[in-house]
Amino acid sequence: MAVTSDKIFVNLPVKDLQQSMDFFKKAGFEFNPHFTDENAACLVISDSIFAMLLVEPFFSSFTKKEITDTAKSAEVIVGLSASSRAQVDEIVNKAVAAGGSSNSEPMDQGFMYSRSFQDVDGHIWEVIYMDMSAVDPQ
């Protein structure tokens, strides 16, 4: 039997929780106040997908490993789907305007279009639109 789950919570370390929250609010995201305090903020991506932004000391309490220095390396790329090419551009443009940075040039493969940005803590977010009608279901 395959493992299944109703929700996903991606935990990301942040240096300054308020700065990270301000960035994501300006980029168009919302937070769940029931799971937000001085140590963590629950970034709502969808009804079942969340990113927990954890201040670094709190994040460190969950692992013995060193926190990745995002200026030097990447540990994860968070991929988000978009409903259109225009929505890809809108999300990335808002993130850059909010203080993030563009991570790479747009990738256009006809049926798939993506762009990515780095948030204020250097985490990479890739936003992807895929025209499912062009995908061979085999």
Side-chain angles (χ1 to χ4, degrees), residues 5 8 15 25-26 29 35-36 49 60 106:
S5 181
I8 183 171
K15 293 187 183 323
K25 286 176 185 174
K26 288 177 187 171
F29 292 86
F35 301 103
T36 299
I49 304 170
S60 293

Side-chain angles (χ1 to χ4, degrees), residues 29-102:
F29 292 86
E30 295 180 359
F31 288 87
N32 182 330
H34 294 102
F35 301 103
T36 299
D37 61 21
E38 67 279 354
N39 288 314
C42 181
L43 175 70
V44 178
I45 298 170
S46 77
D47 290 342
S48 59
I49 304 170
F50 310 89
M52 295 300 299
L53 308 179
L54 310 176
V55 294
E56 288 183 347
F58 187 56
F59 183 92
S60 293
S61 71
F62 294 97
T63 182
K64 291 180 171 56
K65 292 185 175 185
E66 191 174 318
I67 294 174
T68 299
D69 179 351
T70 57
K72 296 179 184 176
S73 60
E75 184 175 32
V76 66
I77 297 172
V78 180
L80 303 177
S81 64
S83 60
S84 67
R85 290 170 178 259
Q87 188 183 34
V88 169
D89 290 336
E90 178 185 355
I91 292 169
V92 174
N93 291 343
K94 278 185 177 180
V96 171
S101 61
S102 180

